[in-house]
């Protein structure tokens, strides 16, 4: 995973919990880097899982809740960092529909070794989007948080239901996203 994802996570932990909690999280002997992450580096995604699991142990909050909150926060940071990628999209549905076909395509041009999931989208009704997540990495909860972050960005309320179909080959989650207002 890109270093920017790690540094964003670290900033969020320091901000929402404390520097002490962050130090404790990074003190995990199982981390491949000895707890050092920079925004320009590239690190295996298992380190991210270890960090979230450790944060969950320290804060006693569920892993899913933490990773979702991180996704929500990450969306704002990504849009701030790459504003042109969200340009011209005037609602969350419009943006979500092009994550796979435009946004992540551009990300891959900028960072050829980025590891991105695959999304298939179908607009079932003007205000209902079916979105299928597939990845080699188990980050569907991060996707859920990113979708929520997207809703927040546009000041919308989305009702999101999801169901997972993980297999030996891949992680797969189907989201049904309904715009309430
Ligand atoms: C302007 C908007 C967005 C930008 C610039 C962006 C960019 C990125 C970047 C840089 C990564 C890290 C790749 C790596 O570490 O190798 C990433 C990963 C990811 N993105 Fe996006 N993204 C955006 C929106 C979204 C949205 C709205 C979703 C969810 C629907 C999403 C789902 C994901 C997921 C789940 C991953 C983790 C990798 C995986 O699951 O395999 N992204 N994205």
């Amino acid at each position: 995973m890109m270093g920017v994802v790690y540094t964003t996570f670290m900033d969020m932990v320091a901000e929402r919990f404390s520097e002490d909690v962050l130090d404790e999280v990074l003190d995990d002997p199982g981390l491949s880097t000895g707890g050092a992450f920079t925004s320009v580096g590239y690190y295996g995604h298992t380190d991210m899982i270890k960090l979230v699991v450790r944060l969950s142990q320290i804060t006693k909050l569920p892993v899913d809740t933490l990773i979702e909150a991180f996704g929500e926060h990450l969306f704002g940071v990504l849009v701030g960092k790459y504003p042109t990628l969200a340009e011209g999209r005037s609602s969350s549905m419009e943006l979500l529909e092009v994550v796979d076909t435009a946004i992540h395509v551009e990300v891959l041009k900028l960072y050829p070794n980025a590891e991105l999931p695959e999304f298939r989208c179908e607009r079932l009704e003007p205000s209902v989007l079916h979105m299928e997540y597939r990845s080699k990495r188990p980050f569907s909860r991060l996707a859920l948080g990113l979708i929520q972050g997207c809703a927040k960005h546009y000041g919308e309320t989305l009702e999101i239901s999801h169901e997972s179909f993980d297999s030996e080959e891949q992680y797969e989650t189907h989201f049904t996203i309904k715009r309430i207002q």
Side-chain angles (χ1 to χ4, degrees):
M1 265 186 147
M2 286 165 57
V4 63
V5 180
Y6 280 87
T7 52
T8 302
F9 178 78
M10 285 156 47
D11 291 345
M12 188 190 83
V13 173
E15 227 174 80
R16 298 213 185 156
F17 299 98
S18 68
E19 290 283 351
D20 285 348
V21 169
L22 176 61
D23 286 346
E24 225 181 304
V25 168
L26 295 175
D27 200 26
D28 186 336
L31 293 170
S32 69
T33 65
F37 299 95
T38 70
S39 63
V40 290
Y42 202 89
Y43 311 95
H45 73 274
T46 47
D47 275 347
M48 180 52 72
I49 295 169
K50 284 179 191 155
L51 291 174
V52 178
V53 168
R54 187 143 169 123
L55 181 63
S56 161
Q57 287 161 350
I58 296 166
T59 60
K60 311 273 184 276
L61 293 167
V63 167
D64 283 353
T65 307
L66 291 168
I67 197 136
E68 231 177 278
F70 174 50
E72 190 173 323
H73 177 78
L74 182 63
F75 182 86
V77 172
L78 289 174
V79 167
K81 207 170 152 52
Y82 310 102
T84 51
L85 299 185
E87 238 167 50
R89 325 284 175 203
S90 54
S91 69
S92 50
M93 295 271 164
E94 270 182 37
L95 186 136
L96 292 170
E97 264 177 344
V98 298
V99 168
D100 193 74
T101 53
I103 297 175
H104 279 175
V105 173
E106 290 306 314
V107 170
L108 209 53
K109 282 187 200 159
L110 293 169
Y111 307 100
N113 54 359
E115 291 184 315
L116 296 159
E118 188 190 306
F119 287 103
R120 275 187 218 157
C121 292
E122 193 188 343
R123 190 83 79 110
L124 302 178
E125 287 170 39
S127 62
V128 183
L129 179 69
H130 177 77
M131 196 171 184
E132 298 183 358
Y133 165 92
R134 288 182 183 79
S135 177
K136 295 275 174 212
R137 296 158 296 282
F139 290 123
S140 63
R141 282 276 166 177
L142 187 70
L144 177 60
L146 283 157
I147 296 167
Q148 282 155 345
C150 184
K152 201 170 162 188
H153 176 76
Y154 288 103
E156 295 171 1
T157 305
L158 300 180
E159 190 182 271
I160 310 162
S161 60
H162 51 92
E163 199 179 347
S164 291
F165 305 90
D166 298 343
S167 67
E168 297 272 297
E169 291 103 68
Q170 65 181 4
Y171 295 93
E172 178 173 342
T173 296
H174 297 184
F175 296 96
T176 304
I177 304 161
K178 191 171 180 191
R179 185 172 167 181
I180 305 298
Q181 52 160 311

